[in-house]
């Protein structure tokens, strides 16, 4: 099963680029930019990654982002992630970035997006990895700050496919950002939102009805509302689920308790993603492996996560056809070799 997972074509729809900052690169950037960090070594940084909930993670995560200063830093961060994509056979990725984490420290919006964009272009031409950017609003900040961020994004409309909503969920409901999302949709962006990770199932309902999202990020608490689950099934509303993240942030006690495989079997359009891989112990392949170790699945069930992600992605229909063909050819090759055994 490990070999099957490693070689499977994967599509990532829930990855915070700031969450892919490995401790080694954090140290390198801290040195380059003369930023003080409260750790003596990369191992010490890793040892500090013990979280009891979303907020304890966010506190460390925002601190880590302080080493990102120059356009080249954002390039290096994104390029390192794309090299991991190649290793994990991720063929398409839709990447979150949090401009406010940087603009609030005096870094220009253009510095952030130009560095990311340059890496993505190189990823397309040198690695054959297709990609797009999703700009997230930090939900612990106010509506005015989100509006100002949207304004700064408008000249880069062609580089950003959608807006999203992340950071501290509980107490920051979708309604708080309804008007910003209306303006973003009006400007031609698609929308997604984190909901039902730590917040209640009603936040998933509100993200769909008020923010008009095309996907829900996480969404695992939908099971608390059976009518909502039926709605998600009927409408094929995608959930971008992050198994290792959910264990690290204690949304579930252990992988055996995770509801992702159950949701897949109930017909939801669920996908597997890594969220903040440098903090949660693994990239895409690691997430698939951890899930498969705790839940027996067939090859076609595992491949269904990739097919769901293709269906849920914001890429062109031409690229979707290529990606589906890649997954289906692999599946049929595998079933032939299983039959021969
Ligand atoms: N920002 C980065 N990772 C996040 C997560 N899992 N939930 C909310 N905001 C985030
Ligand atoms: Zn996330």
């Amino acid at each position: 099963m490990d070999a099957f997972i490693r070689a499977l074509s994967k599509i990532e729809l829930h990855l915070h680029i700031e969450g892919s900052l490995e401790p080694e690169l954090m140290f390198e950037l801290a040195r380059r930019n003369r930023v003080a960090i409260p750790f003596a070594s990369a191992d010490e940084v890793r040892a500090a990654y013990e979280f009891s909930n979303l907020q304890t993670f966010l506190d460390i995560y925002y601190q880590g982002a302080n080493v990102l200063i120059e356009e080249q830093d954002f390039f290096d961060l994104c390029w390192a992630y794309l090299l991991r994509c190649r290793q994990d056979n991720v063929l398409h990725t839709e990447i979150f970035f949090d401009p406010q984490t940087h603009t609030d420290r005096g870094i220009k919006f253009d510095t952030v997006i130009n560095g990311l964009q340059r890496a993505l272009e190189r990823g397309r031409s040198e690695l054959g990895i297709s990609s797009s950017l999703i700009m997230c609003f930090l939900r612990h900040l106010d509506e005015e700050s989100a509006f100002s961020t949207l304004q700064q994004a408008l000249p880069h409309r062609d580089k950003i496919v959608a807006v999203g909503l992340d950071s501290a969920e509980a107490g920051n409901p979708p309604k708080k950002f309804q008007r910003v999302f209306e303006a973003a949709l009006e400007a031609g962006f698609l929308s997604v939102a984190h909901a039902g990770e730590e917040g209640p199932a009603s936040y998933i309902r509100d993200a769909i009805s008020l923010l008009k999202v095309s996907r829900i990020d996480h969404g695992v608490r939908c099971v608390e509302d059976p009518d909502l689950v039926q709605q998600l099934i009927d409408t094929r509303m995608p959930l971008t689920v992050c198994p290792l993240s959910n264990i690290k942030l204690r949304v579930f006690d252990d992988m055996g308790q995770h509801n992702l495989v159950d949701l897949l079997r109930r017909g939801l359009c669920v996908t597997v993603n890594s969220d903040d891989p440098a903090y949660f112990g693994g990239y895409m392949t690691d997430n698939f492996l951890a899930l498969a170790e705790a839940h027996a699945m067939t090859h076609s069930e595992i491949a269904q996560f990739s097919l769901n992600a293709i269906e849920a992605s914001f890429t062109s229909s031409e690229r979707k056809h290529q990606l589906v063909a890649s997954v289906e050819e692999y599946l049929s090759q595998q079933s032939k070799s299983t039959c021969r055994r």
Side-chain angles (χ1 to χ4, degrees), residues 14-16 54 57 61 96 136 165-167 194 197 217-218 240 242 245 274-276 280:
H14 186 155
L15 175 281
H16 301 264
L54 176 58
F57 155 69
Y61 164 80
F96 296 135
C136 286
L165 190 60
D166 64 1
S167 189
H194 283 54
E197 178 189 22
D217 299 312
H218 292 293
T240 64
C242 308
S245 162
S274 72
D275 205 5
D276 302 285
F280 299 149

Side-chain angles (χ1 to χ4, degrees), residues 101-283:
T101 299
H102 314 297
T103 52
D104 283 5
R105 299 181 288 120
I107 312 293
K108 290 203 163 53
F109 189 100
D110 290 19
T111 302
V112 179
I113 197 158
N114 291 341
L116 298 177
Q117 183 64 18
R118 197 154 53 81
L120 296 181
E121 273 163 18
R122 185 165 165 196
R124 285 176 206 127
S125 61
E126 284 186 24
L127 308 176
I129 298 173
S130 52
S131 55
S132 47
L133 287 172
I134 299 174
M135 177 181 83
C136 286
F137 302 115
L138 297 180
R139 67 203 301 162
H140 67 274
L141 300 180
D142 59 21
E143 186 196 39
E144 191 189 337
S145 172
F147 263 115
S148 144
T149 304
L150 179 60
Q151 205 58 38
Q152 295 172 68
L154 292 178
H156 301 283
R157 173 68 199 83
D158 59 321
K159 306 184 191 86
I160 302 171
V161 71
V163 296
L165 190 60
D166 64 1
S167 189
E169 187 185 358
N172 293 301
K175 181 141 195 48
K176 182 174 165 186
F177 296 95
Q178 185 175 356
R179 297 191 318 166
V180 188
F181 271 61
E182 271 167 15
L185 291 164
E186 187 69 22
F189 296 99
L190 295 167
S191 68
V192 300
H194 283 54
E197 178 189 22
E198 285 208 333
S202 65
Y203 282 20
I204 302 174
R205 282 187 175 280
D206 290 350
I208 295 168
S209 64
L210 304 179
L211 308 184
K212 313 278 186 243
V213 296
S214 302
R215 307 194 289 248
I216 292 287
D217 299 312
H218 292 293
V220 290
R221 286 188 59 189
C222 65
V223 290
E224 293 164 22
D225 179 344
D227 289 346
L228 172 62
V229 172
Q230 195 56 50
Q231 179 187 331
L232 298 174
I233 294 169
D234 294 343
T235 58
R236 296 284 297 158
M237 173 60 69
L239 305 185
T240 64
V241 181
C242 308
L244 286 172
S245 162
N246 291 156
I247 304 311
K248 271 285 195 180
L249 300 187
R250 308 205 192 162
V251 177
F252 296 92
D253 290 339
D254 58 56
M255 201 58 87
Q257 306 287 315
H258 203 294
N259 62 12
L260 177 51
V261 176
D262 184 47
L263 294 176
L264 178 78
R265 290 180 179 148
R266 289 165 73 181
L268 279 89
C269 184
V270 284
T271 66
V272 172
N273 306 272
S274 72
D275 205 5
D276 302 285
Y279 292 85
F280 299 149
Y283 289 77

